Amino acid sequence: LGGGSQTAPPGELTLKQLRTRHKLSQQEFAQRLHISQAAVSELEKNLSRSKLSTLLKALKALGAKLEIFAVLPSKQAFKLKL
């Protein structure tokens, strides 16, 4: 396609994979989040138990943003505004 770049569809990454792709140690990531290294470890192990606000803060520290998509029983999909 005429010189433009395309964005690949989103894949699945864990928070740890995202952090390591940014070449950050848990300690460096913890400093960005103003939390302990142990808290980063716990966040990476139990992300599904974390608050949405914590996830937003972690993604922002990595220069990412959160987008939420929902799918209705009719298979209609939509993006939720945050």
Side-chain angles (χ1 to χ4, degrees), residues 59-70:
L59 291 173
K60 185 176 179 181
L62 295 170
K65 65 179 183 176
L66 179 66
E67 293 184 351
I68 298 176
F69 292 87

Side-chain angles (χ1 to χ4, degrees), residues 5-53:
S5 64
Q6 289 184 324
T7 303
E12 290 186 11
L13 290 175
T14 64
L15 188 58
K16 180 179 180 178
Q17 290 169 325
L18 189 55
R19 173 184 56 78
T20 58
R21 283 189 178 198
H22 281 79
K23 299 181 179 8
L24 292 171
S25 67
Q26 283 187 343
Q27 185 62 41
E28 291 165 327
F29 192 37
Q31 289 172 346
R32 288 187 181 193
L33 295 172
H34 306 288
I35 60 175
S36 68
Q37 178 273 324
V40 168
S41 178
E42 186 63 28
L43 180 63
E44 290 179 348
K45 290 177 188 171
N46 296 307
L47 187 60
S48 63
R49 294 184 187 174
S50 300
K51 293 181 182 178
L52 184 57
S53 60

